[in-house]
């Protein structure tokens, strides 16, 4: 008989914790002085709450706080325990960050070295009735990483610190979009479990489809307190109105129970069907486990074809065109995240038309809340194992930790319907081939054993229903360059780093799993942390919040011939945000025009983890940048785009729905000037099958301008889908500086701004946060031909008397 009792040792459970600096470069007076702590939490957030440090995100505080990552920290609590007659007691720590020594009542329980796994310590006989003292002492993470490097040797890595020496979130040490705030702390729940007989150790319910039947294969791992004294155990699984059970003898390690549901409701990614989820309850005597599953099958097709190697994710035998984004930890201090913040950020992806998020390998295996929301909203999850942009030792010290964390992660996450891909690493295979690692490695193993042997073996054993990729990018053949656009998945980073964004058209990628372009965050977000006077792109604090190598120089270079260089800081902000949006929209429209050769794009990146100039579509304060609105347009279910093909212009149409797209398309060549005269016009019908694409050549009457500098194409379908084409860049385009008027109408929850165009008004954008940081707007990057109007809806703020530059902007302002 199980008799499981739990004593919650988190702050929310009533435990009172303190933290103090043990030794290191802490300020005078802090060594040995106890500060109130929150568990789960991190030392930075504890010190911030106690008023011991300024906000790490503000100004140039980040560098002033680097001492935290080089200081040893001790977390301590005293709790009372009442003997309950059970045979066994265990301390369960769901997450310790990272190199820690755990002591109870003066007795060392063990040492940890992995943020990405949980730990269970036997405290039977150490735990006493009455008061107990628990101490968790953490090494400074930067110091610990450097110490491992000194002992084991150096493996190549990006960025400043040797993050690849520890099993800790890589980006916590700083990245080209994130702050260097290497944390320590009890970052997930911690508790005492007291039990007898048998308990559930883990549950791995794998839900699949066989025809119209749902099949749930539930793997239950059992733990026994005392095999000799225990009796038989009965394991029961309830799902979808069915119950299956089995009785096992003492000492049985694992049990497999198969349940079937006839005519099951099938789970689909968003845009392809509904997302029904089934409650699952597993009981072992009086211990129980609860979760949810969705019945679906996922495959990835990488079988060579005449064009190379495809990468096609299919769900329930239906190919999915991926419209996705890369996901980084949503806050540099991840313990501040919760179910509400996850839902808000994932809703940003859904509202932009996305159907996949890639959990990037420099972050964490996310919390259950993240995957639960993805299950509910139909967002597929591509889950990296946690290796990024570095070589990794394969010595036993690290190998055993990687195996333990991977087994736990696959066991925990395999139940989720949204889980579509396990991926071995981010850019490490590419790095070995091309980033100059071979000389410093001098023949030492560098991680291939993980990606090509250990991890695929664990996935095959524990989650055979989910496909595995060795890396991103990867060509699915060891003899082909891992970042070849003809094969598998590709990262495109020469755009942004070196060349103009028109270079996207140089490639014909089968699947793009990373590509991006930078832009600043919202004005209110930027100025909340950057206080340079005067504000300048190259100001001291501005550069603290620009982590990319030569990032602001690349913003300037990236303007190319597309937009003029800014005249002042307001124009810098608008110009670079606009250029970011245009660059990514350019790429995605081109990729979609290649369908079915191209089967998806995963932009870098959806979110930020602090206020920063970055590749994100949504900034660190949750404000949607112009890029987000561009993504919403180019990730729409139905897309029209004008593309150059062999010295001609075509209208490419991609119908990513289950319905035939039948509509009439009108292409007008118009004047950019006042009145917007229609100079030529052609109309044609399109009928595109479900999940299909078509290309229509444009006749010379519209495709050939009389004056390229003062004409443009407006493509408008009868169903409202639109596209535009310009024969020259904005630096040559004749745009009126008085092309529109604006009126403001107060509303109960904010106000409306209606803009009416008298000439071509290109890329209209409203930035109400410049008036009130709480204000949000529903639309952006709206192009209006003469005679057209658009209403921006603003919420969260009172109506101003008027709006103009820099609140209401357009490309017209810049040229």
């Amino acid at each position: 008989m199980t008799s499981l009792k739990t004593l919650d040792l988190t702050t929310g459970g009533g435990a009172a914790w303190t933290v103090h600096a043990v030794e290191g470069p802490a300020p005078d007076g802090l060594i040995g002085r106890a500060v109130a702590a929150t568990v789960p939490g991190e030392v930075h957030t504890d010190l911030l709450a106690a008023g011991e440090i300024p906000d790490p995100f503000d100004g140039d505080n980040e560098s002033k706080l680097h001492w935290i990552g080089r200081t040893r920290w001790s977390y301590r609590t005293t709790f009372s325990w009442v003997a309950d007659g059970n045979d066994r007691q265990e301390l369960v720590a769901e997450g310790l960050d990272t190199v820690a020594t755990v002591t109870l009542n003066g007795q060392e329980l063990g040492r940890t070295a992995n943020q990405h796994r949980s730990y269970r310590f036997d405290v039977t006989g150490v735990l006493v009735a009455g008061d107990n003292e628990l101490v968790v002492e953490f090494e400074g993470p930067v110091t610990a990483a450097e110490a491992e490097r000194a002992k084991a040797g150096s493996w190549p890595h990006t960025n400043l610190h040797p993050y690849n020496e520890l099993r800790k979130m890589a980006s916590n040490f700083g990245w080209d979009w994130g702050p260097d705030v290497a944390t320590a702390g009890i970052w997930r729940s911690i508790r005492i479990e007291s039990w007898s007989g048998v308990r559930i150790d883990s549950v791995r319910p794998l839900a699949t489809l066989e025809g119209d039947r749902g099949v749930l294969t539930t793997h239950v791992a059992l733990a026994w307190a005392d095999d000799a004294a225990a009796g038989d155990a009965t394991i029961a699984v309830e799902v979808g109105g069915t119950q299956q059970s089995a009785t096992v003898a003492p000492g049985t390690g694992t049990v497999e129970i198969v349940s079937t549901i006839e005519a099951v409701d099938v789970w689909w990614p968003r845009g392809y069907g509904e997302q029904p989820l089934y409650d699952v309850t597993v009981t072992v005597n009086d211990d129980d486990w609860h979760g949810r599953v969705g019945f679906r099958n996922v495959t990835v097709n990488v079988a060579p074809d005449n064009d190379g190697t495809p990468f096609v994710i299919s769900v329930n035998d239906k190919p999915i065109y991926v419209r996705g984004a890369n996901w980084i930890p949503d806050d540099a201090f991840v313990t501040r995240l919760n179910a509400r913040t996850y839902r808000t950020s994932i809703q940003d992806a859904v509202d932009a038309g996305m159907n996949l998020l890639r959990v990037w390998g420099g972050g964490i295996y996310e919390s259950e809340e993240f995957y639960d929301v993805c299950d509910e909203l139909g967002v597929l999850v591509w889950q990296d194992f946690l290796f990024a942009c570095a070589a990794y030792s394969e010595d036993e010290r690290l190998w055993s930790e990687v195996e333990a964390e991977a087994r736990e992660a696959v066991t925990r996450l395999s139940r989720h319907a949204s889980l579509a891909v396990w991926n071995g690493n981010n850019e490490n295979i590419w790095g070995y081939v091309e980033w100059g690692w071979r000389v410093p490695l001098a023949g030492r193993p560098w991680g291939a054993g993980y990606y090509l042997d250990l991890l695929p073996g664990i996935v095959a054993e524990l989650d055979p229903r989910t496909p595995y990729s060795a890396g991103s990018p990867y060509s699915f053949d060891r003899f082909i360059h891992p970042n070849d656009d003809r094969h598998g998945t590709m990262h495109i980073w020469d755009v942004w780093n070196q060349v103009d964004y028109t270079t996207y058209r140089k490639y014909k990628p089968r699947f793009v799993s990373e590509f991006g372009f930078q832009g600043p965050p919202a004005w209110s977000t930027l100025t909340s942390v950057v206080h340079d006077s005067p504000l300048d792109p190259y100001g001291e604090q501005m550069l603290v919040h620009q982590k990319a190598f030569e990032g602001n120089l690349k913003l300037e270079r990236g303007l190319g011939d597309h937009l003029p260089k800014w005249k002042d800081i307001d124009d810098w902000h608008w110009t670079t945000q606009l250029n970011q949006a245009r660059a990514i929209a350019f790429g995605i429209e081109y990729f979609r025009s290649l369908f079915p050769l191209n089967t998806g794009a995963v932009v870098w990146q959806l979110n930020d983890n602090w206020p920063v100039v970055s590749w994100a579509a949504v900034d660190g304060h949750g404000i949607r940048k112009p890029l987000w609105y561009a993504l919403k347009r180019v990730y729409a279910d139905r897309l029209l785009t004008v593309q150059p093909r062999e010295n001609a212009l075509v209208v490419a149409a991609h119908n990513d729905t289950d319905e035939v797209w039948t509509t009439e398309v009108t292409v007008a060549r118009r004047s950019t000037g006042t009145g917007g005269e229609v100079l030529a016009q052609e109309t044609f019908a399109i009928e595109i099958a479900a999940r299909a694409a078509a290309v229509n050549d444009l006749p010379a009457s519209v495709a050939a301008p009389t004056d390229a500098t003062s004409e443009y194409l407006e493509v408008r379908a009868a169903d409202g889908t639109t596209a535009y084409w310009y024969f020259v860049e904005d630096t040559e385009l004749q745009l009126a500086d008085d092309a529109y008027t604006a009126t403001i109408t107060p509303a109960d929850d904010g106000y409306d701004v209606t803009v009416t165009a008298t000439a071509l008004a290109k890329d209209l954008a409203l930035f109400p946060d410049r008036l009130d940081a709480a204000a949000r707007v529903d639309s952006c990057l709206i192009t209006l031909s003469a005679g057209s109007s658009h209403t921006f809806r603003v919420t969260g703020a009172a109506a101003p008397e008027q709006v103009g530059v820099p609140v209401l902007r357009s490309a017209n302002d810049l040229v």
Side-chain angles (χ1 to χ4, degrees):
M1 174 67 70
T2 307
S3 182
L4 180 64
K5 296 184 182 300
T6 300
L7 177 61
D8 188 351
L9 297 181
T10 66
T11 303
W17 286 86
T18 62
V19 62
H20 72 266
V22 178
E23 63 177 9
D28 292 343
L30 195 57
I31 297 289
R33 178 161 56 85
V35 173
T38 298
V39 172
E42 296 151 287
V43 67
H44 287 73
T45 54
D46 290 331
L47 295 175
L48 181 61
E52 297 287 347
I53 61 171
D55 184 351
F57 293 175
D58 191 52
D60 59 355
N61 290 339
E62 175 198 351
S63 62
K64 298 174 182 176
L65 300 176
H66 285 165
W67 57 268
I68 297 174
R70 295 185 176 276
T71 298
R72 183 182 299 170
W73 298 95
S74 180
Y75 280 79
R76 185 180 306 262
T77 188
T78 299
F79 63 93
S80 180
W81 180 70
V82 177
D84 52 23
N86 277 319
D87 297 331
R88 189 162 186 173
Q89 289 78 44
E90 293 172 320
L91 174 67
V92 183
E94 297 288 354
L96 300 176
D97 176 17
T98 290
V99 179
T101 302
V102 183
T103 304
L104 178 64
N105 297 330
Q107 181 171 325
E108 183 177 311
L109 302 179
R111 302 191 176 200
T112 73
N114 194 332
Q115 181 184 9
H116 305 308
R117 57 173 290 198
S118 64
Y119 294 88
R120 185 178 287 268
F121 304 100
D122 187 353
V123 296
T124 309
V126 182
L127 189 69
V128 299
D131 289 341
N132 294 264
E133 183 183 55
L134 176 62
V135 178
V136 185
E137 187 168 298
F138 294 92
E139 298 294 327
V142 176
T143 305
E146 291 173 347
E148 287 297 337
R149 178 176 61 186
K151 287 189 298 183
S154 178
W155 270 257
H157 60 87
T158 55
N159 302 313
L160 178 63
H161 302 299
Y163 61 85
N164 51 337
E165 299 287 348
L166 296 180
R167 296 309 300 152
K168 174 175 168 60
M169 177 170 59
S171 60
N172 196 221
F173 290 92
W175 216 259
D176 58 4
W177 38 258
D180 179 357
V181 287
T183 57
I186 303 170
W187 78 290
R188 282 183 168 160
S189 65
I190 189 167
R191 63 188 180 274
I192 298 289
E193 287 187 358
S194 180
W195 56 286
S196 298
V198 63
R199 65 168 176 82
I200 298 172
D201 192 53
S202 67
V203 176
R204 186 164 43 92
L206 304 182
T208 57
L209 292 171
E210 292 182 1
D212 63 355
R213 293 193 312 158
V215 178
L216 181 69
T217 305
T218 304
H219 303 263
V220 184
L222 304 173
W224 301 80
D226 184 345
D227 296 355
D232 291 351
T234 299
I235 300 94
V237 176
E238 293 185 18
V239 59
T242 71
Q243 178 171 313
Q244 301 292 327
S245 62
T247 300
V248 299
T252 303
T254 58
V255 181
E256 179 183 302
I257 295 178
V258 178
S259 309
T260 60
I261 301 175
E262 301 295 335
V264 73
D265 294 326
V266 177
W267 188 94
W268 291 94
R270 61 175 303 276
Y272 290 77
E274 300 301 314
Q275 294 80 44
L277 297 170
Y278 286 78
D279 292 325
V280 179
T281 299
V282 179
T283 58
V284 177
N285 294 348
D286 64 353
D287 191 11
D288 57 26
W289 177 95
H290 301 277
R292 293 184 302 175
V293 299
F295 290 91
R296 91 295 182 270
N297 292 333
V298 179
T299 59
V300 172
N301 175 23
V302 293
D305 60 22
N306 291 333
D307 296 300
T309 309
F311 184 87
V312 183
I313 299 174
S314 291
V315 179
N316 308 326
D317 297 322
K318 180 173 286 190
I320 308 298
Y321 186 84
V322 169
R323 296 174 270 160
N326 285 268
W327 170 275
I328 65 170
D330 213 19
D331 192 316
F333 302 116
V334 293
T335 60
R336 300 198 291 206
L337 302 173
N338 54 47
R340 177 188 58 79
T341 64
Y342 279 118
R343 186 170 293 275
T344 297
S345 294
I346 297 169
Q347 192 66 50
D348 283 331
V350 170
D351 290 348
M354 297 178 188
N355 57 20
L356 181 143
L357 290 174
R358 176 187 170 213
V359 181
W360 168 74
I364 58 175
Y365 303 108
E366 284 289 352
S367 72
E368 287 303 307
E369 289 89 350
F370 174 88
Y371 303 98
D372 285 343
V373 173
C374 289
D375 289 346
E376 294 167 11
L377 299 183
V379 178
L380 296 172
V381 175
W382 165 320
Q383 177 67 58
D384 279 13
F385 287 100
L386 302 183
F387 301 88
C389 303
Y392 288 81
S393 166
E394 296 181 25
D395 293 348
E396 170 56 27
R397 174 188 68 86
L398 214 60
W399 185 281
S400 59
E401 289 293 349
V402 169
E403 180 170 6
E405 84 178 48
R407 287 186 173 278
E408 182 172 333
V410 175
T411 296
R412 177 169 72 92
L413 302 183
S414 59
R415 73 171 176 88
H416 287 283
S418 55
L419 183 63
V421 176
W422 286 103
N423 180 61
N425 72 86
N426 177 74
E427 297 188 343
N428 295 350
I429 299 173
W430 184 18
Y432 178 76
V433 170
E434 202 167 80
W435 296 357
W437 291 357
R438 295 175 65 192
V439 171
L441 283 170
R444 293 175 297 164
W446 53 274
Y450 299 131
Y451 321 135
L452 302 176
D453 182 15
L454 178 66
L455 298 176
I458 290 173
V459 171
E461 174 191 348
L462 300 180
D463 189 18
R465 69 178 203 144
T466 303
Y468 174 83
S469 166
S472 181
Y474 192 57
S475 293
F476 295 90
D477 190 307
R478 298 190 194 189
F479 300 100
I480 298 176
H481 191 287
N483 200 40
D484 187 323
D485 65 332
R486 298 166 296 178
H487 302 280
T489 56
M490 183 185 192
H491 293 189
I492 302 178
W493 282 116
D494 55 354
V495 174
W496 169 250
N497 281 315
Q498 294 144 353
V499 297
D500 189 77
Y501 66 70
T502 54
T503 303
Y504 284 128
R505 288 201 186 116
K506 165 186 168 185
Y507 301 105
K508 290 188 176 180
R510 306 305 300 269
F511 189 101
V512 188
S513 48
E514 268 194 35
F515 66 109
F517 205 92
Q518 270 202 353
W523 183 266
S524 61
T525 301
L526 185 67
T527 56
S528 72
V529 295
V530 173
H531 314 292
D532 298 321
S533 183
L535 203 62
D536 183 87
Y538 297 95
E540 181 181 358
Q541 292 186 17
M542 185 76 83
L543 292 178
V544 171
H545 293 83
Q546 164 59 280
K547 293 296 184 183
F549 175 69
E550 297 184 343
N552 282 359
L553 289 172
K554 291 175 182 177
L555 286 176
E556 186 172 343
R557 177 197 54 74
L559 297 179
D561 296 327
H562 310 295
L563 289 165
K565 186 178 178 181
W566 54 86
K567 299 184 294 292
D568 55 32
I569 191 65
D570 293 311
D571 277 3
W572 171 82
H573 186 262
W574 164 229
T575 302
T576 53
Q577 280 201 332
L578 175 61
N579 205 47
Q580 176 189 34
R582 286 187 180 176
I584 297 304
F586 182 100
I588 293 174
E589 288 189 55
Y590 169 66
F591 301 150
R592 290 188 70 173
S593 78
L594 299 176
F595 179 84
L597 180 75
N598 172 268
T599 55
V602 186
V603 68
W604 186 272
Q605 64 214 65
L606 176 66
N607 55 328
D608 268 331
N609 71 348
W610 75 316
V612 66
V613 181
S614 84
W615 298 266
V618 182
D619 75 19
H621 285 182
I623 298 179
R624 296 168 171 178
K625 292 159 65 171
L627 170 60
W628 183 90
Y629 296 92
L631 288 171
K632 182 179 181 180
R633 178 179 66 82
V634 297
Y635 273 163
D637 292 345
R638 289 172 171 167
L639 177 73
L640 288 175
T641 177
V642 180
Q643 296 287 325
R645 295 280 171 87
E646 298 177 356
N647 300 317
L649 289 180
V650 302
V651 173
H654 184 198
N655 176 24
D656 193 21
T657 75
D658 283 328
E659 305 295 329
V660 175
W661 186 12
T662 302
T663 191
E664 190 173 71
V665 176
T666 298
V667 181
R669 179 162 56 85
R670 302 187 64 159
S671 166
T672 63
T674 302
E677 179 186 359
V678 176
L679 305 172
Q681 183 170 292
E682 299 286 346
T683 299
F684 55 90
I686 61 171
E687 183 172 311
I688 305 174
R691 312 292 176 184
V695 173
N696 291 270
D697 294 334
L698 287 180
S701 60
V702 291
T706 302
D707 179 358
T709 66
S710 64
E711 299 173 19
Y712 70 103
L713 296 185
E714 178 187 57
V715 182
R716 188 173 298 275
D719 64 3
T721 309
T722 59
Y724 296 90
W725 174 263
Y726 304 93
F727 300 101
V728 296
E729 299 290 354
D730 282 12
T731 48
E732 298 180 63
L733 190 63
Q734 297 179 31
L735 291 173
D737 60 4
D738 58 349
Y740 51 88
T741 59
T743 59
I744 301 170
T745 306
D748 290 341
D749 58 346
Y751 56 96
D752 293 339
V753 177
T754 299
V755 180
T756 301
T758 55
L760 174 65
K762 189 176 181 185
D763 290 319
L764 286 157
L766 188 70
F767 298 108
D769 71 288
R770 294 193 65 132
L771 302 174
D772 187 329
R776 299 294 184 267
V777 68
D778 69 338
S779 49
C780 189
L781 300 184
I782 303 299
T783 293
L784 297 177
S785 293
S788 299
S789 296
H790 175 78
T791 297
F792 297 93
R793 166 55 61 92
V794 177
T795 55
E801 292 186 4
Q802 60 184 5
V803 293
V805 174
V807 177
L808 179 61
R809 301 303 308 250
S810 70
N812 300 52
D813 307 334
L814 301 174
V815 300

